[in-house]
Amino acid sequence: MHRTVSQLFLLSIICMGVCGAESLPSVTAPAAFDEEALPVSPARAISPVILDSELSSLHHPRTYPGCKVAPLSDIWDTEAAAFEKNADTAPVDVDDLMPDAAQALGNFQEMVTSLGGTFELKSAYRPLAYQAHLHEVWVKWVKELRNNRSSGCRALREEVGAEFSRHQLLVKQQPVQASDHTLGLAFDAAIAMPRGARLHGKRVTVDKLAALAGIKRPAIRRDPVHFKLLAARPADASYAHVSGL
Ligand SMILES: [Zn+2]
């Protein structure tokens, strides 16, 4: 069973199409991006017969007759299934972060708010299978269904589009399959600092405060909410000094 699911998942990656530039209306794109063209892959060459036999062996087969795109894979991992079920309402999972990452998050949040900034934690630990699901939803929507106008795919297109929107995915931001989130070493937070925020009389930025807390944004433009733990943390004394203000 697992093998079948992973095969389907592989198929969904192989079968990439080309698409335009529209995004879902409910999703707000981040400010700045490189205008790179999406990769072009050759057209799919997989027999619908093989695909159908694969699908019929799934736990909950949902077929869309007349649509050559395979439905989303089932989520087998129970931890990931719980994340999926509560994706709209569940609190962010900070408890499963590694201790150093949890500590850095706490220190960072305290610094930002003590200097008058706002801190909105979006995501922290994510199970590997849940991350894989996010990746699959993105690939299926952006590469296979977004510009698919075939009437046979209409129902699947609606389902995957709703899933894409529910998870607040962005067309220009493809989730990776395994990430620092799955290792408990990263979190996503939307942060705004007041103009001219100062620490010890010096201007401070979000990234300056992040460095003081022992974290960094590896891709500020492409993924501005993503912070990961630095390999080597600064001495605790430096934070004690900061928080004493
Ligand atoms: Zn992230």
Side-chain angles (χ1 to χ4, degrees):
M1 280 302 196
H2 275 91
R3 196 163 151 263
T4 305
V5 172
S6 61
Q7 279 173 345
L8 278 173
F9 188 57
L10 193 62
L11 288 181
S12 75
I13 297 169
I14 294 167
C15 305
M16 290 179 176
V18 191
C19 31
E22 96 202 27
S23 62
L24 284 183
S26 63
V27 173
T28 314
F33 284 105
D34 295 319
E35 291 299 322
E36 292 169 1
L38 289 161
V40 178
S41 301
R44 54 187 297 167
I46 294 157
S47 158
V49 177
I50 294 172
L51 208 55
D52 282 345
S53 68
E54 297 271 8
L55 286 177
S56 63
S57 65
L58 271 178
H59 187 54
H60 295 297
R62 288 163 299 159
T63 54
Y64 295 86
C67 182
K68 290 180 178 174
V69 180
L72 289 169
S73 308
D74 281 342
I75 298 173
W76 297 93
D77 180 87
T78 50
E79 189 188 23
F83 267 72
E84 172 65 6
K85 189 159 164 268
N86 302 317
D88 303 319
T89 55
V92 175
D93 185 346
V94 176
D95 295 342
D96 288 310
L97 285 178
M98 297 297 279
D100 281 359
Q103 171 92 43
L105 165 59
N107 291 352
F108 183 44
Q109 183 162 11
E110 196 179 321
M111 279 193 271
V112 168
T113 52
S114 70
L115 293 174
T118 58
F119 192 104
E120 192 186 346
L121 187 62
K122 302 274 193 189
S123 176
Y125 169 75
R126 297 199 284 260
L128 187 60
Y130 181 67
Q131 184 75 27
H133 170 67
L134 297 181
H135 178 266
E136 189 193 26
V137 170
W138 189 95
V139 168
K140 207 162 270 295
W141 174 252
V142 175
K143 304 287 186 185
E144 297 187 271
L145 289 165
R146 187 167 58 130
N147 294 328
N148 188 324
R149 300 295 166 195
S150 114
S151 59
C153 291
R154 194 178 299 145
L156 179 60
R157 186 177 184 277
E158 269 178 31
E159 181 194 315
V160 176
E163 192 71 357
F164 187 90
S165 180
R166 185 170 84 96
H167 287 298
Q168 301 185 352
L169 298 176
L170 300 170
V171 167
K172 294 203 170 181
Q173 204 168 309
Q174 177 175 3
V176 291
Q177 293 187 68
S179 77
D180 293 318
H181 289 278
T182 64
L183 299 172
L185 294 174
F187 60 87
D188 294 344
I191 291 161
M193 292 294 292
R195 198 178 287 271
R198 285 172 183 271
L199 184 65
H200 304 308
K202 288 185 181 169
R203 290 281 298 274
V204 281
T205 61
V206 167
D207 294 296
K208 175 77 177 162
L209 294 179
L212 287 170
I215 50 178
K216 71 164 185 176
R217 294 197 282 186
I220 295 174
R221 289 187 67 201
R222 188 168 47 78
D223 196 358
V225 297
H226 183 82
F227 293 85
K228 69 174 285 189
L229 189 69
L230 288 171
R233 291 171 59 210
D236 283 342
S238 71
Y239 172 64
H241 184 52
V242 168
S243 64
L245 282 180

